[in-house]
Amino acid sequence: MDLLLRHATLIDGTGAPARPAEVAVAEGRVAAVAEPGELVPAAGTEVVDLDGLVLAPGFIDVHTHYDAQILWDGDLTPSSWHGVTSVIMGNCGFGVAPTRPEHRDLIVRLLENVEGMSRDALDAGIDWCFHSFPEYLAALDARPKRLNVGAFIGHSPLRLFAVGGEERPATADELDTMRGLLREALDAGAIGFSTSRQPAHQGAYGRPVPSRFAEIDEIDSLASVLGEAGRGVLQVSIGPGLFVDQFSDLAVRHGIPVTWTALVTRSEKPGAALRTVARGAALPGEVYPQIACRPIVMQITMADPVPLAQIDEWKEALAIPREERPALYQDASWRDRARPATLTAWEHRWHKIDVEETGAHQDAVGVPLDELARRRGTTPFDLMLDLALSDTATTRFRVVLENDGDAEIGELLADRRTLLGLSDAGAHASQLCDACYSTHLLGHWVRERKALTLEDAVWRLTGHPHQAFRVADRGLVRPGFHADLVAFDPETVGAAPVERVHDQPGGADRLVVRSIGVEHVWVNGVATRRAGAEVAGVAPGRLLRA
């Protein structure tokens, strides 16, 4: 016995009621779970008195985009501050491998435009010590890591590798190449395969990401590789021709779990998300719609207008370098073309947009953009551009994109047919920070709103992703399972206010959120957090393999 955790209130991740317990750890795994006082420490055993704190399995975040950040930040912050002990990256068909040298710039530009990653950080932080996906996993395996990491192989880099930059369906030979590379990735340990048909996913130079040029038959053929291998998860970002009926069909025919993003609430469409859950649940197959427990709120600037990427005129903006975009925004002819489509597309959103950060327009801060435009006799579209162009600093607009129906979010969280995910940790770093989703769930939804029990919330963060993603021997406090554990105070746990820091390669900024009430964390039996403070210099994380 290396470690004995005493006087814990154990919530084991199964959904079972909390109970007093003590837990023994040996060689990085849970050795015993017993009634208080039953376990006797050996000489040299470290004994930690948890004094009634909740002891739970380490949280598993199934929807992150740390594919690049892990190459310069082995601590995987800020996820590691919030009780998360395992992350899955490579979601939505994106990633950095496999990548040919001649395609590296396209991959960087894709991640910049779609996932809001800083090009400066990507250029300075990715060392490109890999070419194939197995080489990428080997690089991750060799790197010191604070957390356990698993990775999907993404459809866009896979397709770019096999098809090149051509925007067309794949040939039979190219599809065979992709199938072979996918099998190779699964054999090396890929968690599965991810793809996107999401119309908002505009990549390098404002063009659709490569996966959007794939026919449905191509996605079906690649999904069949998972079925043939008997392992791996299919993750899909929804789009035309790929929704609940198709997910059911793929899951049943190939015998694979399918998870899709994103199931969100909209105040202008009350009940729609719950109706989608019911519709999908009536179909056969193992399909998990992913939900978020926080409103999807993003800070955007006119330098990076990614949320507007579905509108043709804004694709023009994304297709040119950042430094050329102000001139485009001043062009009256471009405004005349962009104005009608933008006003219509965001008609339901203008009242949920306001200025959050500015150097010159403090009188505009916090005022809904539609209201401010009425006061000034202009349109929200023109006002947004004019404020940004006339600012002495970067104007950052707070935009509520989705998930603004708070009551319906609570109902989705209470519905066990949905899977909690969608933190997007590692992406949109200067625009949002939802890596704190776990502590927000425990603080806001459990303690404050009482929308679900603490046991159900822990199951959502641990046992459920363990089941859906086949995360072996993690997600439960059970003898033989890896000792990924978190101890938190249920009376205080939560997320601190957002901060902007400049700690990325190339001097890039990002938003971070600290945790409150997360007292201890162990990853594979090694303490990474003690008494609310991070333990420096430890890297017990491992590569997760399907």
Side-chain angles (χ1 to χ4, degrees):
M1 186 189 304
D2 304 317
L3 174 67
L4 178 59
L5 305 178
R6 282 185 158 163
H7 303 128
T9 298
L10 178 65
I11 298 180
D12 64 10
T14 66
R19 66 188 192 274
E22 53 189 29
V23 174
V25 174
E27 298 181 352
R29 291 183 181 258
V30 175
V33 179
E35 295 293 321
E38 286 188 0
L39 300 178
V40 179
T45 298
E46 180 187 2
V47 179
V48 178
D49 188 339
L50 295 180
D51 193 26
L53 293 173
V54 169
L55 179 65
F59 307 145
I60 302 171
D61 188 344
V62 298
H63 195 110
T64 79
H65 292 278
Y66 279 125
D67 312 73
Q69 184 179 324
I70 192 173
L71 299 173
W72 66 76
D73 174 22
D75 284 346
L76 293 164
T77 57
S79 289
S80 54
W81 305 338
H82 293 271
V84 172
T85 57
S86 297
V87 298
I88 308 296
M89 52 200 189
N91 283 275
C92 303
F94 308 134
V96 295
T99 300
R100 300 182 190 276
E102 61 268 29
H103 294 151
R104 290 171 181 169
D105 182 64
L106 289 175
I107 289 292
V108 166
R109 289 178 182 272
L110 184 157
L111 294 174
E112 176 190 36
N113 271 359
V114 178
E115 294 299 343
M117 298 182 189
S118 161
R119 178 157 191 171
D120 291 340
L122 295 170
D123 285 340
I126 301 177
D127 62 9
W128 298 109
C129 60
F130 49 85
H131 177 75
S132 68
F133 194 82
E135 288 171 344
Y136 175 66
L137 288 187
L140 298 186
D141 199 14
R143 269 175 162 72
K145 302 171 289 297
R146 185 171 287 258
L147 306 183
N148 307 306
V149 296
F152 287 106
I153 179 170
H155 197 176
S156 280
L158 179 63
R159 204 169 199 277
L160 192 60
F161 194 94
V163 180
E166 296 184 39
E167 299 178 345
R168 57 168 174 79
T171 66
D173 286 345
E174 289 164 345
L175 181 54
D176 283 344
T177 297
M178 284 189 276
R179 286 173 54 87
L181 291 170
L182 177 52
R183 277 191 293 267
E184 177 185 68
L186 290 171
D187 289 342
I191 292 296
F193 169 69
S194 68
T195 188
S196 172
R197 291 181 70 82
Q198 171 56 248
H201 285 166
Q202 299 291 131
Y205 306 105
R207 298 298 302 156
V209 296
S211 64
R212 289 181 55 199
F213 294 101
E215 296 178 329
I216 299 298
D217 286 349
E218 177 179 317
I219 295 171
D220 180 78
S221 180
L222 292 168
S224 74
V225 176
L226 305 183
E228 293 161 7
R231 63 184 182 277
V233 179
L234 173 63
Q235 189 271 328
V236 182
S237 188
I238 58 174
L242 206 52
F243 199 41
V244 291
D245 295 300
Q246 290 75 33
F247 299 149
S248 171
D249 180 59
L250 289 166
V252 171
R253 285 193 299 107
H254 302 307
I256 58 175
V258 178
T259 182
W260 61 271
T261 57
L263 179 65
V264 295
T265 68
R266 295 181 175 90
S267 57
E268 68 274 12
K269 294 182 179 179
L274 290 163
R275 290 191 293 272
T276 299
V277 172
R279 176 184 164 193
L283 299 170
E286 189 180 357
V287 179
Y288 300 93
Q290 280 188 37
I291 61 169
C293 65
R294 289 166 60 85
I296 299 175
V297 177
M298 183 177 288
Q299 280 192 355
I300 69 166
T301 71
M302 292 298 95
D304 292 295
V306 174
L308 288 156
Q310 293 188 60
I311 302 169
D312 287 342
E313 288 76 16
W314 288 93
K315 294 174 187 175
E316 297 175 32
L318 290 170
I320 61 178
R322 278 192 180 91
E323 59 271 18
E324 296 178 18
R325 291 171 188 172
L328 180 68
Y329 299 152
Q330 291 171 326
D331 185 321
S333 64
W334 179 83
R335 283 202 186 195
D336 288 342
R337 288 188 292 111
R339 185 181 296 109
T342 309
L343 288 173
T344 300
W346 275 20
E347 182 178 12
H348 65 292
R349 195 168 280 160
W350 294 115
H351 68 286
K352 297 184 284 187
I353 303 174
D354 58 62
V355 175
E356 191 160 36
E357 294 182 25
T358 176
H361 306 296
Q362 295 301 320
D363 59 327
V365 173
V367 183
L369 217 57
D370 60 346
E371 179 182 333
L372 196 62
R374 282 193 297 271
R375 292 181 192 173
R376 300 189 180 187
T378 186
T379 71
F381 164 80
D382 291 285
L383 179 61
M384 183 169 62
L385 293 172
D386 291 340
L387 289 172
L389 289 169
S390 61
D391 203 346
T392 55
T394 299
T395 302
R396 299 183 185 275
F397 298 93
R398 178 183 182 273
V399 183
V400 180
L401 292 171
E402 312 287 4
N403 247 36
D404 54 339
D406 205 44
E408 194 171 358
I409 296 174
E411 292 183 76
L412 290 173
L413 287 170
D415 192 321
R416 285 188 159 221
R417 296 172 296 185
T418 63
L419 179 69
L420 182 61
L422 218 62
S423 83
D424 260 7
H428 310 293
S430 68
Q431 301 163 331
L432 59 79
C433 180
D434 284 345
C436 59
Y437 80 108
S438 56
T439 50
H440 178 80
L441 177 77
L442 296 169
H444 178 73
W445 288 108
V446 175
R447 187 178 63 250
E448 297 171 8
R449 293 293 303 273
K450 296 179 173 54
L452 67 169
T453 67
L454 192 54
E455 290 87 349
D456 279 345
V458 168
W459 172 80
R460 278 211 166 277
L461 294 166
T462 62
H464 200 200
H466 155 75
Q467 167 199 323
F469 273 63
R470 315 307 200 247
V471 184
D473 297 342
R474 300 182 193 275
L476 303 175
V477 181
R478 177 177 290 173
F481 272 52
H482 296 281
D484 297 340
L485 303 164
V486 56
F488 62 88
D489 180 355
E491 298 303 317
T492 62
V493 67
V498 66
E499 308 169 44
R500 187 174 298 279
V501 298
H502 293 77
D503 63 354
Q504 297 293 280
D509 67 293
R510 64 173 176 154
L511 296 174
V512 298
V513 173
R514 311 279 172 178
S515 67
I516 300 168
V518 177
E519 297 300 318
H520 303 277
V521 178
W522 294 268
V523 177
N524 297 305
V526 176
T528 61
R529 188 178 182 92
R530 285 195 183 102
E534 295 294 293
V535 178
V538 296
R542 298 176 187 171
L543 182 66
L544 303 176
R545 291 182 167 90

